[in-house]
Amino acid sequence: MTVPKKLVLIGNGMAGVRAIEHLLKLAPDTYEITIFGAEPHPNYNRIMLSTVLAGSTELKDIIINDWDWYKENNITLHTNQSIKKIDTQRKVVISESGIEAPYDEVVIATGSKAFMLPIPGADKEGVIAFRDIQDCEKMFSAAKSYKKAAVIGAGLLGLEAARGLLNLGMEVTVIHKHPYIMERQLDEAASLMLRKELETQGMKFLLSKHSASITGRGRVKELQFTDGSHLATDLIVMAVGIRPNVDLAKSSGIDYNNGILVDDFMNTNIPHVSALGECVEHRGVAYGLVAPLYEQGAVLAKRLAGVETAGYAGSVTSTKLKVSGVDVFSAGRFVETEGSRAMRIQDDVAGTYKKIVIRNGKLVGAVLFGDTADGASLFASIKSGESIEGREKELLLGISSDLLGKSGGGASRLENMPDDEIVCGCNGVTKGAIGDAVLNKGCHTFGELKACTKASASCGGCKADIEGLLHFYAGDKVGESAKEGICGCTSLGRDEIVEQIQSMRLMTVKEVMHVLDWNNKEGCSKCRPSLNYYLGMLFPEEYVDEKESRFTNERYHANIQKDGTYSVVPRIYGGVTTPADLIKIASVAEKFNVPLVKFTGGQRLDLFGVKKEDLPKMWEELEMASGHAYGKTLRTVKTCVGNTFCRFGTQDAMAMGIKMEKAFERLNAPAKFKLAVSGCPRNCAEATIKDLGVVAIDGAWEIHVGGNAGVKVRACDLLTTVKTEEEVMEWTSAYLQYYRETGQWNERTAHWIDRVGLDTVKKALEKQEDRLALMERVQKALSVTTDPWKEIVDNDELRKNFEPIAGPLPV
Ligand SMILES: Cc1cc2nc3c(=O)[nH]c(=O)nc-3n(C[C@H](O)[C@H](O)[C@H](O)COP(=O)(O)OP(=O)(O)OC[C@H]3O[C@@H](n4cnc5c(N)ncnc54)[C@H](O)[C@@H]3O)c2cc1C
Ligand code: SF4
């Protein structure tokens, strides 16, 4: 048996780990691999930091390879370990904390450093870059305490940072030294259109401005400009460019210029020392986008695996703005120079612009604004260097259907593409991987392909090509995933999943995804919470709730508001309170400086603007149960005064409502549900637009179900009329449990009734023995619930989750 050689990767980032993934496939047992990463996280998708900041992705969802991946592949991972030197004589790498690792082959993939303007005050607190998770964390935390943000640099990164900060509720001014924004990616016309659009979103711009200094005591207060003007700000994000990280080359005697110098096979000047990624300079170019780095990774992996390769010849790049809600694309040499000519169309009404630049009969550059559907095809044409003579107008006016792969030339382009060509640059997805997902994993819709392969899951620039390949591989079956899965991770529907969980007694979310062969082994934000609910519903006594599969509100037992604070709603049964409780609520609100106290539509008191770290202390002082205003549980039981005070009242609506709220509080359900009780048909508690409403009539109670007052109002259907309070409880229990057992996760009762039909529900509940069986099961589910606020108040470990985070966010 041959002893594996030692391979050390320095830099646990996108380029380096991608090369290792290739290598593991090509030569699985050739190397014993050790990875050093300066950050405390496993390998994550840096591109997606923009969407994390903008609030559309969670940090945990951008992990590319989790901790288990390293274990499964026998990789020794050292996180939080920066390598300070490579001793190329002794062939060891040495970390700052003194760890030494010998190597036969070492790969440097240390990425870039964000360039910080060397102006006075740039070292003040509140001046940051936008490069890693820690920077995101700093922006999240600044947005909680401060209002004004300045972003220096209106390039791709600067605008994505600005959009994210706007979403976090800050007032954002973007400062740019050029007269127009994104000048490296857009021509003036497209830039102007983009600026107008971003201004309507609330972004402010100061153009042709040069920053001179930053003032403030300790923390930034003002940004001064060379023209004498200034801007008050609490946070400055510098997005003025990146510099290849050549520190290791400097300390280890490796040749470098702007970046570490490499040849076409990623060799440095020192034998057995390779480099790739943003830290390198290849043929005079240092790249700042992932697609070229992945191409470098494929070449390096082949060389290290001993597989013949043609070498890396450089890349043409394209860019796309991901988070502004505006579609912008550019590629190649889009500014016309001598010897090239441009063709453009602009539609000010539709807000679209398209420009192509042609040189020697070939397409060399393109800019698209407003509609970027043609981006991928234009980019492919630029990369291929094919002649477009005679087709110029066609390219400008109506390229898409042809090149989408549905017919003619486009089909042949996609057909002729080699299997290992990367189609989605951001996530390094090849044509072969798309083919495999369609042909072998049954992905027949764009959503399924995206979930299965991550293609088009970052910037979206490759969408047209992915759709083209879907047509190419799936043919008539496109969209045929008629068997709609609960999400793109599976083609199984809700009922099949529940049935399988039950019959195979699957007990954890991971187990379900594994056994039922999920396309995406980590699941997504739709299937994880659904599975968590189904498992809890099926095995209330055995299943351990997976907090990480729940949304933020349910994890913190409070509703997160748009400014990042939370709102607290204590339980007030039936909406009936006491002076003592009101005094308690008022004094807690005063003590914690609650900026707003409001009655909710369900007759409860809502304390807004509470900091996360104050939540447990407030709950402790309130000494009241959680009102569950944040969860997929019973929200409130609204009541009228009934016959206690009202002269029209026929029954005691308040007592009935309190009894119901006490009985069903904390009950998990597919979606939130609201109840109400009115003391007579005048229906002051609006019981007939609730998930279940009880209306008293002379000597009886009507039970109405399936109502909703949301975007589309749905009045309830009458389920039954009963004589006694006990019967009300029996029918309500049975109804709720039947909904719990048959509803789809996140499906309100109004939609559920429309889907399954009122008659089905009536039939399921008509026999008393069935109702009693359902009642028994709902009691079992209720018997294991506890008050979440109290649980946290009494548990120091749980309280720690609410403490402000000092370091980077856990991912
Ligand atoms: C917010 C943001 C959005 C982006 N959007 C896009 C986009 O839409 N499209 C696109 O193509 N690209 C985008 N990029 C760029 C893309 O993320 C980078 O091109 C890519 O991450 C570079 O990969 P890399 O492996 O070379 O470097 P990195 O991913 O930066 O990895 C380098 C790693 O090495 C570590 N390291 C450094 N020095 C040492 C040392 N001495 N010892 C140990 N570890 C060390 C670093 O901490 C880092 O974790 C974006 C970047 C950012 C920051
Ligand atoms: S619903 Fe009937 S009982 Fe209740 S407050 Fe209105 S009028 Fe009075």
Side-chain angles (χ1 to χ4, degrees), residues 432-472:
I434 301 287
D436 179 53
V438 176
L439 300 172
N440 303 323
K441 296 185 178 143
C443 299
H444 292 155
T445 66
F446 177 73
E448 286 171 355
L449 259 185
K450 187 167 150 186
C452 176
T453 61
K454 294 218 168 131
S456 211
S458 296
C459 82
C462 59
K463 188 165 185 244
D465 266 358
I466 305 296
E467 283 176 340
L469 285 171
L470 176 62
H471 280 269
F472 170 61

Side-chain angles (χ1 to χ4, degrees), residues 639-651 653 677-686 695-696:
T639 64
C640 73
V641 289
N643 66 3
T644 318
F645 282 98
C646 177
R647 60 203 166 92
F648 300 110
T650 63
Q651 308 266 12
V677 185
S678 284
C680 84
R682 284 174 178 78
N683 193 13
C684 293
E686 296 157 339
V695 178

Side-chain angles (χ1 to χ4, degrees), residues 661-722:
E661 189 155 351
K662 289 198 166 160
F664 301 114
E665 66 173 317
R666 305 195 291 260
L667 182 66
N668 269 323
K672 65 181 174 187
F673 62 98
K674 301 175 180 180
L675 311 186
V677 185
S678 284
C680 84
R682 284 174 178 78
N683 193 13
C684 293
E686 296 157 339
T688 47
I689 47 163
K690 299 291 175 200
D691 294 274
L692 183 142
V694 180
V695 178
I697 53 174
D698 250 348
W701 302 91
E702 288 175 352
I703 300 179
H704 300 260
V705 291
N708 193 348
V711 178
K712 194 160 167 257
V713 180
R714 184 190 192 279
C716 284
D717 296 309
L718 179 65
L719 177 68
T720 188
T721 304
V722 297

Side-chain angles (χ1 to χ4, degrees), residues 575-636:
V576 180
T577 184
T578 62
D581 271 351
L582 287 175
I583 289 168
K584 194 158 57 175
I585 293 171
S587 57
V588 167
E590 261 188 355
K591 178 166 174 184
F592 289 91
N593 291 321
V594 166
L596 177 75
V597 181
K598 186 181 179 312
F599 286 99
T600 68
Q603 303 176 329
R604 303 297 181 267
L605 275 166
D606 201 337
L607 313 186
F608 284 92
V610 181
K611 290 194 208 115
K612 186 169 89 188
E613 57 266 34
D614 285 343
L615 289 170
K617 289 176 262 170
M618 272 183 86
W619 299 337
E620 189 166 20
E621 301 214 6
L622 279 168
E623 283 184 307
M624 294 171 81
S626 162
H628 281 94
Y630 46 82
K632 298 193 187 302
T633 51
L634 169 66
R635 291 292 175 88
T636 53

Side-chain angles (χ1 to χ4, degrees), residues 42-251:
N43 173 235
Y44 65 89
N45 189 340
R46 201 172 296 286
I47 295 179
M48 301 289 274
L49 288 177
S50 309
T51 50
V52 169
L53 191 68
S56 48
T57 313
E58 287 194 45
L59 276 173
K60 66 178 173 49
D61 295 327
I62 68 169
I63 297 297
I64 303 173
N65 293 300
D66 62 11
W67 304 107
D68 288 344
W69 178 82
Y70 296 86
K71 281 192 211 134
E72 283 156 16
N73 289 291
N74 292 322
I75 296 171
T76 307
L77 173 65
H78 298 278
T79 50
N80 253 334
Q81 285 290 341
S82 196
I83 295 297
K84 66 171 186 201
K85 186 174 171 9
I86 305 172
D87 186 334
T88 53
Q89 297 297 318
R90 286 198 299 133
K91 287 176 88 178
V92 287
V93 305
I94 305 155
S95 84
E96 270 173 356
S97 67
I99 298 178
E100 293 205 356
Y103 67 82
D104 297 304
E105 294 289 340
V106 62
V107 177
I108 309 173
T110 47
S112 295
K113 290 181 179 179
F115 178 65
M116 302 300 276
L117 290 177
I119 52 176
D123 54 350
K124 287 198 185 301
E125 194 193 330
V127 182
I128 59 170
F130 183 23
R131 179 75 201 165
D132 54 28
I133 287 183
Q134 202 175 358
D135 294 326
C136 276
E137 168 61 10
K138 284 182 189 159
M139 287 188 246
F140 288 138
S141 111
K144 284 184 191 151
S145 316
Y146 302 100
K147 272 246 96 41
K148 295 188 166 74
V151 176
I152 307 181
L156 203 66
L157 214 61
L159 294 181
E160 292 190 348
R163 179 64 255 177
L165 290 165
L166 271 185
N167 286 12
L168 289 172
M170 296 193 86
E171 291 166 20
V172 186
T173 307
V174 180
I175 296 104
H176 200 47
K177 66 178 181 179
H178 290 277
Y180 65 89
I181 64 175
M182 270 182 78
E183 81 288 345
R184 289 177 61 194
Q185 291 89 6
L186 299 180
D187 67 351
E188 200 166 348
S191 167
L192 211 69
M193 291 172 93
L194 176 63
R195 195 183 93 206
K196 277 194 188 145
E197 175 58 40
L198 294 175
E199 279 171 344
T200 62
Q201 294 181 15
M203 223 177 270
K204 293 187 192 122
F205 288 95
L206 290 176
L207 300 177
S208 303
K209 283 270 180 196
H210 295 261
S211 305
S213 62
I214 296 165
T215 57
R217 271 201 208 155
R219 190 179 177 92
V220 48
K221 209 153 181 260
E222 237 176 36
L223 179 58
Q224 314 270 357
F225 302 109
T226 49
D227 62 6
S229 60
H230 49 85
L231 174 79
T233 186
D234 307 307
L235 175 77
I236 295 179
V237 180
M238 287 203 193
V240 288
I242 52 173
R243 300 285 181 268
N245 182 353
V246 293
D247 289 356
L248 271 177
K250 280 186 190 164
S251 66

Side-chain angles (χ1 to χ4, degrees), residues 11 13-15 38-39 46 83 111 131 157 278 289-290 293 322:
M14 298 189 71
E39 294 183 71
R46 201 172 296 286
I83 295 297
R131 179 75 201 165
L157 214 61
E278 279 189 353
L289 294 166
V290 284
L293 316 183
K322 300 189 286 291

